[in-house]
Amino acid sequence: MNHQELAYLADRYRTTLRLAVYVSRRLDGVTGLSTTALSILNMVAREGLRVGVIAENLGVRVPSATEQVGRLERAGLVARGGDPADARAVVVRRTPAGDAAAADANRRRNARMVDAFGALAPEELEALRAALPAMDKINERLHAATNHKEHIA
Amino acid sequence: MNHQELAYLADRYRTTLRLAVYVSRRLDGVTGLSTTALSILNMVAREGLRVGVIAENLGVRVPSATEQVGRLERAGLVARGGDPADARAVVVRRTPAGDAAAADANRRRNARMVDAFGALAPEELEALRAALPAMDKINERLHAATNHKEHIA
DNA sequence: CCTATGTCAGCACGACTGATATTC
DNA sequence: CGAATATCAGTCGTGCTGACATAG
């Protein structure tokens, strides 16, 4: 693929992603949980994660993660705990209510998505599945490239 | 693909999209234009579009589009004009400065994306290209399914 | 008179930076 | 004492609903 084709593909992909963002936002309305909140619930299964790790996984700064965790805590879906090995750390764990809420939200959102898959031919579904590893790599690469701007500048 | 495989694919795809959202946000920092602002600039080439159409294309409500247009207008990148055929309508057109800003932002963002493509093997790039039509169909389908909730309820 | 279009006002959410405890 | 972890305070961007003026 030459450079011009790559640039075209970049443009096409950007456009598609933008629309997907809005669609993703619409999915939020289906459940009471935002995409971000559900992501946190999904990553902090019972074993628990530190706030900093949550922020890193989400791709946001630590204070943003703190606020999300606070919101989930107020809703009774997670609990904050200390790390015996490091008193600075805060470990976030899911409560039983959080387990239930996460399972329900995942089920509903997946159902919506599966319904949307109904618009696709079998080979299109296969194409989608085949593209996921590439998309993940792009996500990683762009995340790494832009995450530490201030450290460079 | 059976139902279980579809549900798994739905989950995988949702996760990938969520990460892409954060990546997209990071791209905003590269230029002075947000993804939304650039989308508007790209769709209102010289001929001009009505605010309602912009909202529809973006997948947002009209007041949200109004605000974005106002912001772009204050920045001197678009101009509001009237429609001779319908005095209620407001037609948004790009200014020469808007042309330049859009071209620059597109160039920068595409360059970033092409750089990220460097992480991919040729067959992965091909897989990405092959999946775009499917993703577009999913976007349309989910948009249609969730856009008019209130009219049904 | 009713509908359509756009704007305004007010609200909510979620990100960010900068400043601060607290602990390693 | 300097670095790391999390939180708090304040700000900004961007979406939404509801109310409104104006025009078809």
Side-chain angles (χ1 to χ4, degrees), chain B residues 49-115:
Chain B
L49 284 181
R50 295 160 66 127
V51 173
V53 174
I54 292 172
E56 174 68 24
N57 287 351
L58 279 182
V60 301
R61 305 286 179 191
V62 173
S64 304
T66 292
E67 192 184 337
Q68 288 296 332
V69 168
R71 194 180 302 273
L72 287 169
E73 188 181 35
R74 263 174 281 149
L77 303 181
V78 302
R80 278 183 166 94
D83 182 342
D86 184 346
R88 294 171 305 176
V90 171
V91 176
V92 179
R93 288 186 182 80
R94 223 157 60 179
T95 64
D99 294 343
D104 183 64
N106 283 320
R107 194 174 41 71
R108 285 179 195 242
R109 293 170 88 109
N110 284 344
R112 263 298 175 183
M113 189 62 84
V114 168
D115 177 77

Side-chain angles (χ1 to χ4, degrees), chain A residues 11-12 14 16 18 22-23 26 36 39 58-60 106 110 119 124 131 136-137 139 141-142 146-147, chain B residues 11-12 14 16 18 22-23 26 36 39 58-59 106 110 115 119 124 131 136-137 139 141-142 146-147:
Chain A
D11 203 79
R12 272 281 280 123
R14 284 201 301 111
T16 298
R18 179 183 61 77
Y22 285 104
V23 162
R26 293 301 169 103
T36 303
S39 299
L58 280 181
V60 300
N106 282 321
N110 284 344
E124 286 176 317
D136 289 338
K137 281 191 186 178
N139 289 342
R141 177 80 160 240
L142 280 175
T146 56
N147 201 18
Chain B
D11 203 79
R12 273 281 279 120
R14 284 202 301 114
T16 299
R18 180 183 61 79
Y22 287 103
V23 163
R26 294 301 168 105
T36 303
S39 299
L58 279 182
N106 283 320
N110 284 344
D115 177 77
E124 287 177 316
D136 289 339
K137 282 191 185 177
N139 288 343
R141 177 81 160 238
L142 280 174
T146 55
N147 201 17

Side-chain angles (χ1 to χ4, degrees), chain A residues 23-72:
Chain A
V23 162
S24 182
R25 202 177 348 249
R26 293 301 169 103
L27 275 183
D28 290 2
V30 174
T31 64
L33 291 169
S34 71
T35 300
T36 303
L38 180 55
S39 299
I40 293 177
L41 284 183
N42 283 336
M43 74 177 79
V44 298
R46 283 307 174 73
E47 71 279 4
L49 284 181
R50 294 159 69 126
V51 173
V53 174
I54 292 172
E56 174 68 24
N57 287 351
L58 280 181
V60 300
R61 306 286 179 192
V62 174
S64 304
T66 293
E67 191 185 335
Q68 289 296 331
V69 168
R71 195 181 302 272
L72 287 169

Side-chain angles (χ1 to χ4, degrees), chain A residues 105-118:
Chain A
N106 282 321
R107 194 174 42 71
R108 284 178 195 244
R109 293 169 90 108
N110 284 344
R112 267 290 179 187
M113 190 62 84
V114 168
D115 177 75
F117 286 167

